[in-house]
Amino acid sequence: LEGVCEPLLRSFKNTFRLIGACMNDKSVIKRLTELTKEISSSAFLEKSGLGNEMPFYIFDYNPKEEIEVRTFLQDELLPNFVDDSKVKIVNIDIFELMIESLKRDKIFERTFSLEEKKGTEFLFDALRKSFNSDIICSMIDEKSKDSNIVFLTGFGKIFPIVRGHMVLNNLQKTLGFSRKLILFFPGKYTDLGLSTFGKFEDNNYYRAFRICG
């Protein structure tokens, strides 16, 4: 996390200590391998069986497997589709997106002094206002215009500033049916909703499909 301000880095380290029990008997590498095949299938690409539901998916995983997930995406899955004419994936790290937004608005350096003077919670509240849902959706929309599949990652790093359910709810209007979205979620997604790290409950969200569970 080179160049990231200290309070954000501390938050990232602290939240990843809060790890739940094993998420699934199936190994995460096996699930990711299945995902690689799934997203290239005709059924997935043609939205077969979705009816009128949004093509939004959640790949949940044990937070202890964060490095494995990140490495597999970068070294195995994404390179597999570089020259694919049918599968056009953009991988957007929501944490890096926030850093980009803060630097673009020339307020990134101010986060250091703000945290020092006002405290970490004050900084997080300020960041929620600066990096709000409208900005998030606009940046994701712009970065994914030439893609048909959007990967959203980095939710462990950005917690608790941005929550998964908030992004999913707001992106429905932005992406609609034009692009499929897969959110990689360090925690649990069940009929009861999202649970970050298996510890922190998000507002109930039921409209996404759990993929390769």
Side-chain angles (χ1 to χ4, degrees):
L1 301 178
E2 184 178 353
V4 176
C5 55
E6 285 301 317
L8 298 181
L9 184 57
R10 286 199 302 272
S11 175
F12 169 56
K13 290 179 178 178
N14 289 337
T15 50
F16 265 87
R17 294 191 185 105
L18 301 170
I19 304 300
C22 183
M23 299 288 302
N24 199 299
D25 291 336
K26 192 186 299 184
S27 77
V28 73
I29 297 302
K30 185 174 181 179
R31 293 177 60 213
L32 287 165
T33 301
E34 291 175 356
L35 180 66
T36 305
K37 297 177 182 178
E38 174 69 15
I39 62 176
S40 61
S41 69
S42 298
F44 182 84
L45 294 172
E46 295 168 8
K47 307 174 188 172
S48 299
L50 284 182
N52 292 320
E53 296 291 336
M54 289 285 182
F56 282 16
Y57 303 84
I58 293 175
F59 185 97
D60 58 351
Y61 57 91
N62 191 321
K64 288 188 290 186
E65 299 168 327
E66 175 67 30
I67 300 303
E68 292 176 79
V69 172
R70 195 183 308 174
T71 300
F72 190 95
L73 291 181
Q74 294 296 336
D75 296 346
E76 303 287 341
L77 192 153
L78 292 170
N80 195 59
F81 296 104
V82 168
D83 298 317
D84 196 302
S85 60
K86 294 182 179 180
V87 180
K88 300 295 183 183
I89 303 173
V90 59
N91 182 29
I92 300 174
D93 184 316
I94 193 75
F95 183 79
E96 296 300 331
L97 197 70
M98 180 181 69
I99 301 301
E100 178 184 333
S101 175
L102 295 174
K103 288 183 176 180
R104 180 191 63 188
D105 295 338
K106 295 181 172 39
I107 58 176
F108 176 70
E109 296 299 329
R110 289 169 50 193
T111 61
F112 296 92
S113 59
L114 186 62
E115 193 267 346
E116 192 174 302
K117 293 177 182 177
K118 300 287 189 176
T120 301
E121 287 305 316
F122 186 92
L123 171 63
F124 285 176
D125 286 339
L127 290 173
R128 291 185 188 104
K129 295 174 183 176
S130 299
F131 190 57
N132 58 49
S133 59
D134 289 340
I135 291 174
I136 293 171
C137 290
S138 176
M139 293 182 74
I140 290 174
D141 183 38
E142 184 62 32
K143 289 179 178 293
S144 64
K145 284 189 181 297
D146 296 326
S147 307
N148 58 357
I149 300 175
V150 180
F151 282 4
L152 284 185
T153 60
F155 282 89
K157 292 186 287 185
I158 205 168
F159 180 87
I161 299 166
V162 175
R163 307 290 285 264
H165 75 277
M166 181 271 286
V167 175
L168 289 169
N169 280 325
N170 287 283
L171 277 176
Q172 290 183 83
K173 296 179 181 178
T174 303
L175 299 185
F177 293 92
S178 63
R179 284 152 283 184
K180 293 178 177 60
L181 181 144
I182 301 177
L183 187 152
F184 291 83
F185 185 73
K188 297 179 181 179
Y189 180 51
T190 67
D191 292 340
L192 299 177
L194 292 162
S195 176
T196 306
F197 306 119
K199 296 283 186 180
F200 303 99
E201 301 296 330
D202 277 13
N203 288 345
N204 291 342
Y205 185 87
Y206 311 104
R207 290 181 288 278
F209 297 88
R210 188 167 182 261
I211 192 167
C212 296

